[in-house]
Amino acid sequence: MMPSSDFTVGNTVTTAVTIYKQNGKKFLKLSLAAHLWLMIPIYGWGRYFAIAAWISNLSLQELDGDSRNLKLKHYLSISSLFTFLIVGTLAIVAPLLLSLVILFIFLVVYALIYSAFLVNIFASISLDFSWLNSEMGEGIIGLLIILFTLIFSMAFYTKVFVTDLAFDRSHRRVFSLIKQSYSITSKGIKVFLIICLSIIFVFPAWVISYFAISFSTSSIIQNFLGDQASAFVLANYTQTGFILTIFLILFTNLVTVPYWQAVKAVTYYHLAYKPDYDLKL
């Protein structure tokens, strides 16, 4: 028994980890299949988002049983793939666009502060903004811009966080999924904090993946490639770094997608279901 009073940010993450551990092999196979589909534009991308949503559904079944009785074929129909593609793309692109808009606003404000007109106004009222030109001032401004950009974009992402779980027999349209997710996640700041803690939790996986891939790549270059090939790789460091970064993102995402989908399922279960319930875990 896990009463609603135990619905904390930490419990949500630990429960998601437990679900992942108990279904690791199955979830990783699904995640690998989803990432292989990414090589096929449009249709494959839809399959990626649909399989990710199916992992969320399987995670939810670990909590409440097969209450909705949905099958994988319902997720992989053409209409469903189109829905998942639109919603998934929106969940990724919209926060990025919002971040760019916020960044642009900050740059405009920063430029206005240094305009001759505002400098004279600030000087007349004894406000000194010359510290902004210092190295420390620029560092503080940069950190503030990054912080506010992340906060606003993540706040938007919380509203579409559980769209995967809103998919059922009666809600299969894009607007319906977004509306359901917005309604469910509008109950407070807890979802935002869950996302923040989840990012902190998976951050070591990114670090480990980076060093593992970097070490293995350098070993291959030094031990298996000839001097000319090694020189070519070093000469094209920018392109090599870009390819390595893409591979890093895909590899880490492959491992962490099941975890994220489990976090979504636990969050949805707590917010959308009755106040008290039994958990199998």
Side-chain angles (χ1 to χ4, degrees):
M1 173 69 69
M2 183 177 180
S4 58
S5 59
D6 288 337
F7 174 40
T8 63
V9 176
N11 284 342
T12 300
V13 172
T14 54
T15 304
V17 171
T18 303
I19 293 175
Y20 190 3
K21 288 173 60 179
Q22 292 184 351
N23 301 271
K25 187 175 181 180
K26 176 171 61 177
F27 283 1
L28 286 175
K29 285 183 178 179
L30 288 170
S31 182
L32 176 60
H35 283 78
L36 290 176
W37 277 109
L38 285 175
M39 294 186 292
I40 302 177
I42 310 302
Y43 177 78
W45 300 344
R47 298 272 298 200
Y48 168 83
F49 289 116
I51 295 174
W54 178 245
I55 296 175
S56 290
N57 183 61
L58 293 177
S59 300
L60 185 61
Q61 291 178 18
E62 290 291 319
L63 297 170
D64 71 336
D66 193 5
S67 60
R68 297 185 297 170
N69 195 30
L70 283 175
K71 304 299 182 182
L72 181 58
K73 64 180 181 180
H74 298 144
Y75 283 72
L76 300 181
S77 66
I78 297 300
S79 60
S80 297
L81 292 181
F82 178 78
T83 299
F84 284 124
L85 177 62
I86 297 299
V87 174
T89 303
L90 176 66
I92 295 175
V93 174
L96 293 177
L97 293 178
L98 181 62
S99 299
L100 292 176
V101 171
I102 295 172
L103 179 61
F104 176 76
I105 293 174
F106 271 109
L107 292 177
V108 170
V109 173
Y110 188 79
L112 288 175
I113 290 177
Y114 279 100
S115 66
F117 177 72
L118 288 181
V119 166
N120 293 331
I121 293 179
F122 292 143
S124 65
I125 57 178
S126 301
L127 289 178
D128 183 15
F129 283 90
S130 59
W131 63 273
L132 291 177
N133 271 329
S134 65
E135 185 175 339
M136 179 181 295
E138 292 178 351
I140 293 174
I141 293 299
L143 288 176
L144 288 176
I145 290 175
I146 294 173
L147 179 63
F148 279 103
T149 301
L150 288 175
I151 289 175
F152 279 103
S153 58
M154 287 174 59
F156 177 87
Y157 179 65
T158 59
K159 301 306 178 183
V160 294
F161 187 58
V162 294
T163 49
D164 295 351
L165 281 306
F167 182 85
D168 56 31
R169 294 184 182 278
S170 58
H171 298 95
R172 293 192 178 185
R173 296 183 178 180
V174 173
F175 180 76
S176 296
L177 297 185
I178 296 175
K179 182 180 179 181
Q180 286 290 316
S181 179
Y182 182 86
S183 176
I184 292 170
T185 57
S186 62
K187 298 181 180 180
I189 196 174
K190 190 167 290 186
V191 178
F192 178 83
L193 296 177
I194 289 172
I195 295 175
C196 291
L197 181 60
S198 298
I199 292 176
I200 295 173
F201 187 82
V202 300
F203 183 75
W206 286 90
V207 176
I208 293 172
S209 297
Y210 173 79
F211 284 106
I213 294 175
S214 298
F215 177 78
S216 60
T217 302
S218 61
S219 298
I220 292 173
I221 293 174
Q222 294 176 4
N223 299 323
F224 295 97
L225 298 180
D227 294 336
Q228 292 183 350
S230 300
F232 175 79
V233 171
L234 294 175
N236 295 272
Y237 179 78
T238 302
Q239 294 85 341
T240 305
F242 176 77
I243 295 174
L244 183 63
T245 301
I246 296 298
F247 183 76
L248 168 66
I249 292 174
L250 291 176
F251 176 79
T252 310
N253 199 55
L254 187 153
V255 177
T256 57
V257 158
Y259 163 74
W260 278 108
Q261 301 308 112
V263 170
K264 291 181 182 181
V266 179
T267 304
Y268 178 86
Y269 188 69
H270 280 284
L271 295 179
Y273 282 61
K274 294 180 180 180
D276 296 300
Y277 35 76
D278 289 316
L279 289 180
K280 290 183 177 181
L281 302 178

